[in-house]
Amino acid sequence: MLKSFDIYNQNNSLKIIVALNLLLVGTASLLYTNRLINKLEEREAHYVILYAKTIAYLVDPSHFDSGDLTFVTSEILEANRTVPAIYVDPNGQISKPLNIDFPENLTDEGKQQFLRDKTQEMKKRHPPIVVEIGNGERGLVYYDNSTLLRQLTYFPWVLLAILGALGVLAYLAFSSSRRAEQNRVWVGLAKETAHQLGTPMSSLMAWVEFMRSDPAQYDESITDEIAKDVSRLETITARFSSIGSIPTLKEENITTVVEQFTDYLSKRISTKVKMSLASQIPADQTVKINKLLFEWVIENICKNAVDAMKGVGELRLTMQALSNQEIAIDITDTGKGIPKASMQKVFTPGFSTKKRGWGLGLTLAKRIVEEYHSGKLFVKSSELGKGTTFRIILNADTGQQKKAVQAQPSEKEA
Ligand SMILES: Nc1ncnc2c1ncn2[C@@H]1O[C@H](COP(=O)(O)OP(=O)(O)O)[C@@H](O)[C@H]1O
Ligand SMILES: [Mg+2]
């Protein structure tokens, strides 16, 4: 029941979550790319130093001790600070492991075994590089992707996943904000209508009293008819004002309510519509409902049914218990039926196939049943040219269920 009001809060916190996430992802990816860039920069600087030293050597080899080129080797080895590599000499001896993290507490023999396993692992990703070392002998260099490269390859996917998740969040926030707005318009409109109707209604009632006080001048039967219409208008206003506020639910005998209202309706619809009610639920079964709104639902569905039958046919109401907790009220007509494609659409605001239809009746009805009564309303079945059955499911407030609801109130609200 509180749902329509919770949406505002929910929506706000969703927005905050989205904003925080965006900030987080933005900062994290900035820091992360920054780190990657720094690492790359460091690496490139090394290559340039190497290049500079090589140039220096080429320009003036005498500058280096007796043409010593060892700096090149050590620098090159230095330059690789990230790519894990292992050299295996022609005798199968493992040496010069580079950038390999050993597990702790390994003996020398253990380290050898670890490196051997590592080469097998590396071989799966990259074929080893063959090194000619003279005399027709060859060594092998096994290597793996650097952490940097691995991080770089994951990066776009991680980013994509985060963006996708954010997209979903943003969509949720957006659609719930639209729903919240619809709710506000809806509730506001209902309240405003009830409020505005109030003034002319009290004035009308005063006029009726005035006419009653002078039966010589005003035909009594006419006055009575007007009084009836005024009281009908009063009901409508009451419905509107109760939808604009949180309607109170009361334990009602459901059979009696439906019976009385069916009776009331049958007198007001075409006499060529045969209206009937069959109940299979215990005569003392009570359900928590708002009578005024619930009757409105029945009225909306029945009026649609009469429209669908063009005023001629059979309108059957049946009531049955689906379980200890659920009561189903089926409203079946012998009208034109609803095409499969429209079965969901009939509940969307503005959907109408009638010349002068507003397409709000079923939207309202669904809302009243589902939001205010935590029930369900749907098209149970429909066949073109044969007829349609709408089903209302209400929660039967049996003793057991009441206890369960009291024990877990938060679950029901959520
Ligand atoms: N019992 C029914 N049989 C066939 N079509 C129906 C029935 N009830 C509703 N519809 C379809 O659903 C549409 C929407 O109904 P509703 O929301 O009450 O708006 P409206 O009655 O103003 O058209 C109707 O225009 C009609 O096409
Ligand atoms: Mg209607």
Side-chain angles (χ1 to χ4, degrees):
M1 212 194 322
L2 289 169
K3 253 185 215 159
S4 49
F5 295 85
D6 277 347
I7 283 169
Y8 303 110
N9 294 333
Q10 211 180 26
N11 177 39
N12 267 341
S13 48
L14 250 165
K15 271 187 193 153
I16 291 171
I17 290 173
V18 171
L20 277 181
N21 265 294
L22 264 176
L23 206 74
L24 209 79
V25 173
T27 322
S29 64
L30 252 174
L31 288 177
Y32 190 76
T33 24
N34 225 10
R35 220 182 56 153
L36 292 181
I37 287 169
N38 281 342
K39 276 193 191 171
L40 276 172
E41 246 171 14
E42 219 176 281
R43 228 194 228 202
E44 289 187 357
H46 253 91
Y47 290 135
V48 178
I49 290 169
L50 210 57
Y51 168 79
K53 286 196 178 171
T54 314
I55 297 281
Y57 176 78
L58 287 176
V59 171
D60 181 11
S62 70
H63 182 66
F64 294 81
D65 298 338
S66 61
D68 183 10
L69 270 176
T70 50
F71 86 89
V72 180
T73 48
S74 60
E75 286 291 333
I76 287 175
L77 288 178
E78 253 283 279
N80 173 16
R81 288 171 173 188
T82 50
V83 182
I86 298 169
Y87 176 63
V88 180
D89 74 13
N91 302 323
Q93 281 298 311
I94 288 176
S95 64
K96 298 195 173 50
L98 250 186
N99 304 311
I100 303 271
D101 291 324
F102 289 103
E104 270 172 53
N105 306 326
L106 271 192
T107 58
D108 281 352
E109 182 46 41
K111 279 186 185 171
Q112 284 295 315
Q113 188 53 47
F114 179 77
L115 288 174
R116 248 190 300 272
D117 294 345
K118 207 76 184 166
T119 56
Q120 291 311 305
E121 228 178 86
M122 290 170 161
K123 202 161 89 178
K124 281 183 206 147
R125 261 188 290 272
H126 303 286
I129 293 168
V130 180
V131 200
E132 305 280 351
I133 53 166
N135 309 328
E137 289 199 298
R138 296 165 163 192
L140 293 171
V141 174
Y142 294 88
Y143 69 104
D144 211 338
N145 289 343
S146 69
T147 349
L148 185 69
L149 190 62
R150 257 196 317 242
Q151 285 171 341
L152 265 172
T153 42
Y154 291 145
F155 189 57
W157 295 108
V158 171
L159 211 63
L160 214 68
I162 294 171
L163 281 178
L166 269 176
V168 171
L169 266 175
Y171 172 77
L172 282 179
F174 174 71
S175 65
S176 87
S177 95
R178 257 189 24 183
R179 231 177 310 142
E181 187 166 307
Q182 278 174 0
N183 258 3
R184 243 171 310 186
V185 171
W186 165 269
V187 167
L189 193 73
K191 269 187 175 161
E192 183 60 21
T193 310
H195 180 73
Q196 293 208 4
L197 276 174
T199 322
M201 284 250 303
S202 42
S203 154
L204 268 177
M205 275 186 284
W207 279 112
V208 169
E209 285 316 306
F210 172 76
M211 287 159 79
R212 279 216 170 106
S213 67
D214 192 355
Q217 179 101 10
Y218 304 101
D219 187 330
E220 229 170 318
S221 63
I222 292 175
T223 313
D224 282 349
E225 281 308 311
I226 296 175
K228 259 190 225 157
D229 281 337
V230 171
S231 103
R232 172 107 186 104
L233 269 175
E234 256 183 317
T235 315
I236 294 171
T237 315
R239 285 169 174 176
F240 269 96
S241 83
S242 56
I243 205 155
S245 52
I246 300 176
T248 46
L249 304 187
K250 233 179 78 194
E251 210 73 59
E252 305 268 8
N253 182 316
I254 189 70
T255 318
T256 317
V257 170
V258 177
E259 237 168 38
Q260 282 177 356
F261 197 68
T262 309
D263 203 42
Y264 165 88
L265 269 182
S266 64
K267 286 182 189 138
R268 279 160 183 79
I269 57 176
S270 153
T271 48
K272 289 184 194 136
V273 170
K274 224 182 100 202
M275 206 169 168
S276 65
L277 168 65
S279 173
Q280 286 169 13
I281 59 171
D284 60 350
Q285 177 72 63
T286 61
V287 176
K288 260 191 153 179
I289 55 167
N290 180 290
K291 195 171 161 220
L292 213 58
L293 293 181
F294 181 71
E295 287 174 346
W296 194 0
V297 170
I298 303 280
E299 183 175 334
N300 269 323
I301 299 173
C302 288
K303 278 195 170 159
N304 280 342
V306 173
D307 288 344
M309 300 187 285
K310 295 216 166 73
V312 187
E314 229 180 291
L315 180 53
R316 255 179 303 130
L317 279 81
T318 51
M319 296 168 75
Q320 56 178 309
L322 296 181
S323 66
N324 279 346
Q325 277 105 47
E326 288 180 328
I327 284 179
I329 302 167
D330 291 346
I331 300 172
T332 306
D333 65 57
T334 53
K336 64 181 165 101
I338 302 172
K340 266 226 157 54
S342 304
M343 286 209 191
Q344 282 299 317
K345 279 193 242 159
V346 295
F347 297 105
T348 48
F351 178 85
S352 177
T353 53
K354 298 167 196 169
K355 246 187 207 146
R356 297 184 56 199
W358 288 98
L360 281 178
L362 286 176
T363 315
L364 259 164
K366 195 174 178 72
R367 221 188 162 89
I368 291 169
V369 172
E370 298 189 352
E371 303 256 311
Y372 295 150
H373 292 88
S374 315
K376 284 186 199 116
L377 170 62
F378 53 94
V379 179
K380 184 173 169 264
S381 61
S382 187
E383 210 176 315
L384 285 180
K386 292 241 168 95
T388 306
T389 299
F390 276 85
R391 172 167 277 189
I392 303 168
I393 295 181
L394 291 176
N395 296 314
D397 237 349
T398 62
Q400 294 156 349
Q401 207 215 353
K402 243 187 263 172
K403 256 180 243 149
V405 169
Q406 268 160 13
Q408 289 169 308
S410 52
E411 210 182 54
K412 254 214 121 180
E413 294 286 319

